[in-house]
Amino acid sequence: MSATILDGKAFAATVRAKVADHVARLKSEHGITPGLAVVLVGEDPASQVYVRSKGKQTKEAGMASFEHRLPADTSEEALLRMVDQLNKDPGVHGILVQLPLPKHLDSDLVINSIDPAKDVDGFHISNVGLLGTGQRSMVPCTPLGCLMLLRDHHGSLSGMEAVVIGRSNIVGKPMAQLLLNDSCTVTICHSRTKDLKETVRRGDIVVAAVGRPEMVPGDWIKPGATVIDVGINRIPDGDKTRLVGDCDFDSCAEVAGAITPVPGGVGPMTIACLLANTVTACCRANGLPEPEGLTA
Ligand code: NDP
């Protein structure tokens, strides 16, 4: 293996420390405690794990954590009422409605009912538009985490060829937009891309966000490229299971200049960036300077 391992776990810890430091200053100098409200509808086991982990890390950073658990049969009207209350609550600076929502609820409607200034997931249509036009916005957490790792490793990304595999609204598209805003030449691939191997081999940066275990082999990677593996896939391993990314780690690490592992790469950055977005939202709401290095 020749690639440098981009240690997302360690980097996420430095982001959380920066957040905690800023939170402490907001409290001591301004008497303000940033607050994050998380709304969970239903009992999806994976969502419950995420919400618990978000609450724990929010408190560890010194912020206020508000958890609202609603039954799976909650009506759209009741959920919209809850979001409205949180929009009006001055102690809440960030609101996150955990996805996926039960099928009878319209996710777009619910997300777009969040005050865009409190939309710490960055999924509100106003934030999508602001990001798309290069204006100040709330940026989706996973792509923001990838961008932070890339900037930390490369400094400037200007002029680099970036290939994003995946075009979802939560990862692929905002990732491509962030790379474009950082002056990369960006190609977005998806399930209809004709020559994926040749296209991916153009990338000085490759971001894989597909959801297919170990789909990208090393011979798709340009020698020396930086590989950011967003995928989280659970595969059978004897009588147990293990997590793998969308890239075949061993063969990609032979060729790449740098690569994120799974687990321990992009994953830990996502919650760290949620905390970063909450402190950023709190500073903006109070007309205070934003912490440096925690936004796009
Ligand atoms: P989606 O399923 O929403 O999107 C997957 C994308 O991959 C689609 O655009 C799809 O193309 C494309 N795709 C599927 N098959 C192929 C193929 N054979 N060749 C090329 N492109 C293909 O997934 P998400 O974006 O939500 O998530 C992607 C991965 O990232 C998942 O493993 C998920 O678990 C992980 N993830 C990790 C996070 C983290 O914190 N680290 C956070 C969020 C997601 P098309 O549009 O044409 O269908």
Side-chain angles (χ1 to χ4, degrees):
M1 182 176 65
S2 59
T4 301
I5 305 298
L6 301 179
D7 184 346
K9 199 172 167 198
F11 194 70
T14 68
V15 171
R16 290 198 304 273
K18 261 193 210 172
V19 169
D21 187 50
H22 210 80
V23 169
R25 267 188 286 144
L26 283 170
K27 281 185 185 172
S28 65
E29 293 171 19
H30 303 282
I32 299 167
T33 303
L36 172 64
V38 177
V39 181
L40 174 61
V41 185
E43 286 171 9
D44 178 65
S47 294
Q48 287 186 335
V49 172
Y50 290 137
V51 167
R52 244 197 321 275
S53 182
K54 284 167 187 173
K56 181 170 172 277
Q57 293 190 35
T58 303
K59 286 181 215 148
E60 281 169 4
M63 298 196 269
S65 166
F66 309 100
E67 267 179 43
H68 298 275
R69 288 167 186 266
L70 302 175
D73 62 356
T74 298
S75 70
E76 201 161 82
E77 201 189 358
L79 179 55
L80 292 173
R81 244 192 337 266
M82 162 146 291
V83 171
D84 187 49
Q85 278 169 16
L86 296 172
N87 283 341
K88 290 176 180 150
D89 185 338
V92 172
H93 304 95
I95 302 169
L96 181 151
V97 176
Q98 184 66 44
L99 299 176
L101 286 172
K103 287 204 169 37
H104 68 284
L105 299 169
D106 179 343
S107 302
D108 287 339
L109 183 74
V110 173
I111 296 303
N112 289 328
S113 73
I114 298 172
D115 176 349
K118 296 188 179 188
D119 167 40
V120 282
D121 251 346
F123 297 158
H124 189 290
I125 192 69
S126 298
N127 281 315
V128 175
L130 290 167
L131 179 64
T133 49
Q135 300 180 68
R136 195 179 79 162
S137 64
M138 296 308 300
V139 177
C141 303
T142 300
L144 178 58
C146 297
L147 184 75
M148 284 185 185
L149 286 168
L150 284 166
R151 283 181 177 169
D152 182 62
H153 183 65
H154 286 285
S156 169
L157 308 182
S158 180
M160 296 179 84
E161 287 272 351
V163 178
V164 179
I165 320 175
R167 56 172 164 179
S168 72
N169 290 336
I170 62 166
V171 190
K173 281 185 204 150
M175 185 73 247
Q177 197 62 60
L178 287 169
L179 291 164
L180 187 60
N181 292 353
D182 264 27
S183 298
C184 293
T185 302
V186 182
T187 304
I188 307 175
C189 302
H190 45 76
S191 64
R192 310 292 168 91
T193 297
K194 283 212 172 101
D195 194 344
L196 200 53
K197 175 179 175 178
E198 282 314 308
T199 311
V200 172
R201 263 185 81 87
R202 290 211 301 261
D204 302 311
I205 293 169
V206 176
V207 181
V210 185
R212 289 182 178 254
E214 301 176 319
M215 186 188 89
V216 178
D219 66 352
W220 290 18
I221 302 298
K222 177 176 171 176
T226 298
V227 176
I228 304 290
D229 192 348
V230 182
I232 301 178
N233 310 290
R234 193 166 282 284
I235 61 164
D237 185 14
D239 53 0
K240 296 189 179 147
T241 60
R242 68 187 169 97
L243 288 184
V244 296
D246 290 340
C247 300
D248 174 44
F249 182 83
D250 290 342
S251 63
C252 288
E254 289 294 332
V255 187
I259 186 167
T260 57
V262 177
V266 175
M269 291 299 292
T270 298
I271 299 185
C273 287
L274 175 68
L275 306 182
N277 277 349
T278 305
V279 84
T280 298
C282 176
C283 292
R284 289 178 186 172
N286 288 284
L288 294 167
E290 293 171 24
E292 272 178 35
L294 295 183
T295 49

